[in-house]
Amino acid sequence: MDVSGRFGVRLRQLRLERSLTQLRMAIEFGIDRSYISDVERGRKAISLPMLEVLALGLKVSLSDLLKEI
């Protein structure tokens, strides 16, 4: 699995640990639900600014967000 796929697995894990649906996450974080879906499936690369949005929204550090990627 490439880095995008591994990150997608990590993102899904963190989202589910917080009992967030993709739709709820999209609304709370101000991003498109289909983008979250594509990232979780490893179909989209992610930018540094978006990593920060996700980390802040999930209330984790960037290093925790990228843990074991």
Side-chain angles (χ1 to χ4, degrees):
M1 185 180 305
D2 69 359
V3 70
S4 293
R6 291 191 310 270
F7 179 76
V9 169
R10 176 70 175 147
L11 180 60
R12 180 178 292 121
Q13 172 192 20
L14 290 169
R15 177 176 61 78
L16 294 175
E17 284 175 4
R18 286 152 180 78
S19 301
L20 290 170
T21 64
Q22 288 180 350
L23 180 59
R24 188 78 211 146
M25 186 176 176
I27 291 167
E28 288 184 15
F29 296 13
I31 53 181
D32 192 76
R33 190 215 51 85
S34 63
Y35 178 77
I36 295 169
S37 175
D38 287 341
V39 170
E40 286 187 356
R41 289 183 287 153
R43 294 186 177 181
K44 288 252 189 212
I46 193 159
S47 67
L48 284 173
M50 185 56 67
L51 283 174
E52 184 177 41
V53 167
L54 294 173
L56 290 171
L58 293 167
K59 296 178 176 67
V60 297
S61 67
L62 283 172
S63 62
D64 283 342
L65 181 60
L66 299 172
K67 190 175 184 177
E68 299 178 21
I69 299 295

